[in-house]
Amino acid sequence: MDLLAIFAGCTAKPLLLEEPMAKHTSFRIGGPADVLAQPVDEAELAALLKRAAEHAVPVTLIGNGSNLLVRDKGIRGLVIKLSNSFSDMKALGNELTFGSGISLAMASKKAASLSLSGLEFAVGIPGTIGGAVYMNAGAYDGEMAKVVTSVRVMDREGKISELKASELAFAYRHTALQNSGLIVTSVTCVLQPDEADAIAAKMADFSQRRISKQPLELPSAGSMFKRPPGYFAGTLIDQTGLKGYTVGGAQVSTKHAGFVVNVGGATAQDVLQLISDVQSKVFAAHGVRLEPEVLVLGEE
């Protein structure tokens, strides 16, 4: 199948053939995508989706690749990357609507510039606001569920609709968007006015905590495991003596045991084996089953 011919003319940016997904994930891991496209607006996105549907080409959506592990064989079909281009913001009083590709850090800073509070928790979370809504990202007692009022979504045929927050079934690291096939194109949040200095102080505090505790100097996909009820994943892993545990180029961070880092040349298989080892060892020691938070994509 000539994917370049199928999608020619659907996007202003060049289509990338056999594009290493390691270039598009914060883990710096991942085999090639058959073809990667970066649409600049909803019209280009819809054109890509319609063409893919016509030719039965599988489609994978990514944002900033910050919560992803792409397998070593890569991803078949079309990968659509929404970060950077979908990055506008519209303000109407204390209601802000962000393009789904804007980074959480930038969204947080834009809100702060308007003296609006509620997104401070997001200042240090890597990734896009669309991805954050998809998984209900959160930190420091904040989460997307507390600020999102609606999202604009596109189905796999290019049709646009709006979903209210009540339709998203927000839960811990989960929303109804997962496995729905719907693509978030914009996110509307209602925030609360506050003193600019108070917002800035809170953001500075969260940023400093992140810098001091997390292994930001090495590639990772953020927190590897969801928080098990009544426990903290990092604490359980540390108590099991697994800080520094290594498989190939993948390592349980020596700085924060809840993170798996790429210390150099890690493969997806290294990470998957390490995850499995950590799960079995923690379960044997504590009777707690850790569930990965990171999304695994690609051909097995």
Side-chain angles (χ1 to χ4, degrees):
M1 188 182 296
D2 187 346
L3 295 178
L4 189 58
I6 289 173
F7 296 108
C10 289
T11 177
K13 291 185 178 182
L15 295 167
L16 303 175
L17 294 177
E18 295 297 316
E19 178 69 2
M21 290 304 297
K23 292 183 177 181
H24 301 277
T25 65
S26 59
F27 232 149
R28 298 293 178 259
I29 293 172
D34 286 344
V35 61
L36 185 141
Q38 301 176 78
V40 301
D41 55 27
E42 286 183 344
E44 288 190 4
L45 174 59
L48 286 163
L49 292 170
K50 289 175 183 176
R51 198 70 61 83
E54 289 169 3
H55 294 271
V57 176
V59 177
T60 301
L61 270 291
I62 68 167
N64 223 25
S66 60
N67 194 50
L68 296 180
L69 175 64
V70 176
R71 295 180 186 274
D72 300 314
K73 291 183 180 179
I75 302 176
R76 305 289 69 81
L78 173 67
V79 174
I80 298 177
K81 184 176 181 179
L82 294 185
S83 65
N84 302 324
S85 295
F86 285 68
S87 57
D88 58 324
M89 184 196 79
K90 296 177 182 178
L92 183 62
N94 65 335
E95 180 182 273
L96 302 184
T97 298
F98 299 98
S100 63
I102 193 171
S103 73
L104 274 176
M106 182 57 67
S108 178
K109 290 171 184 175
K110 284 181 178 288
S113 73
L114 298 172
S115 296
L116 292 174
S117 175
L119 278 175
E120 294 92 333
F121 75 90
V123 68
I125 301 176
T128 62
I129 198 166
V133 171
Y134 181 84
M135 67 169 290
N136 190 23
Y140 305 118
D141 296 322
E143 61 179 359
M144 298 307 298
K146 294 182 178 180
V147 294
V148 172
T149 57
S150 65
V151 295
R152 185 175 166 93
V153 296
M154 183 180 292
D155 68 17
R156 296 306 174 103
E157 296 179 347
K159 296 177 182 177
I160 290 286
S161 59
E162 183 177 290
L163 296 175
K164 300 296 184 184
S166 58
E167 299 175 272
L168 297 178
F170 279 113
Y172 176 65
R173 301 298 178 264
H174 180 82
T175 67
L177 292 166
Q178 295 171 17
N179 303 316
S180 71
L182 296 173
I183 301 158
V184 177
T185 62
S186 70
V187 177
T188 298
C189 301
V190 170
L191 306 176
Q192 301 304 316
D194 199 355
E195 295 293 329
D197 288 348
I199 294 172
K202 192 179 292 185
M203 290 169 67
D205 176 45
F206 291 161
S207 295
Q208 183 54 44
R209 285 200 236 173
R210 181 170 179 265
I211 290 168
S212 65
K213 295 180 180 179
Q214 297 181 13
L216 305 182
E217 68 281 0
L218 290 170
S220 79
S223 297
M224 179 54 68
F225 299 100
K226 295 179 181 180
R227 186 178 67 243
Y231 300 91
F232 291 99
T235 301
L236 289 173
I237 296 167
D238 193 1
Q239 290 174 347
T240 311
L242 293 174
K243 260 190 178 179
Y245 181 78
T246 302
V247 176
Q251 182 184 78
V252 175
S253 170
T254 57
K255 189 173 184 180
H256 189 311
F259 286 69
V260 174
V261 293
N262 180 355
V263 295
T267 65
Q269 188 54 46
D270 291 341
V271 176
L272 292 170
Q273 184 60 58
L274 186 146
I275 289 171
S276 178
D277 291 351
V278 168
Q279 287 176 315
S280 62
K281 291 175 185 293
V282 167
F283 186 78
H286 304 282
V288 177
R289 171 62 67 176
L290 296 180
E291 182 182 348
E293 183 173 307
V294 172
L295 182 63
V296 180
L297 298 176
E299 184 180 3
E300 293 193 39

